[in-house]
Amino acid sequence: MPKIEFSLSQRELMVQKLQAYFDKELDQDLEQFDAEFLLDFFSKDIGAHFYNRGLHDARAIFESK
């Protein structure tokens, strides 16, 4: 699956959100490098599944009308 690409500002925001989530929910510090690595994993290996599901759901709504 292809990796989903984001702008630098989008990546920075998502890294901050990952760090905040780890801090609040898991009580763990997630360093910048680790958060970027995790974001790359999601965008390469998992993101396409969410994208495809969104397309599937949108198509179903469109066809029902």
Side-chain angles (χ1 to χ4, degrees), residues 24-59:
K24 181 180 177 187
E25 301 296 329
L26 304 173
D27 196 27
Q28 300 232 349
D29 278 340
L30 186 64
E31 298 296 326
Q32 179 85 18
F33 177 80
D34 295 328
E36 290 175 2
F37 185 81
L38 186 58
L39 180 58
D40 287 341
F41 167 74
F42 282 124
S43 66
K44 180 181 175 201
D45 296 330
I46 295 176
H49 296 286
F50 285 95
Y51 178 82
N52 289 336
R53 182 56 195 233
L55 288 177
H56 176 269
D57 292 349
R59 182 178 178 193

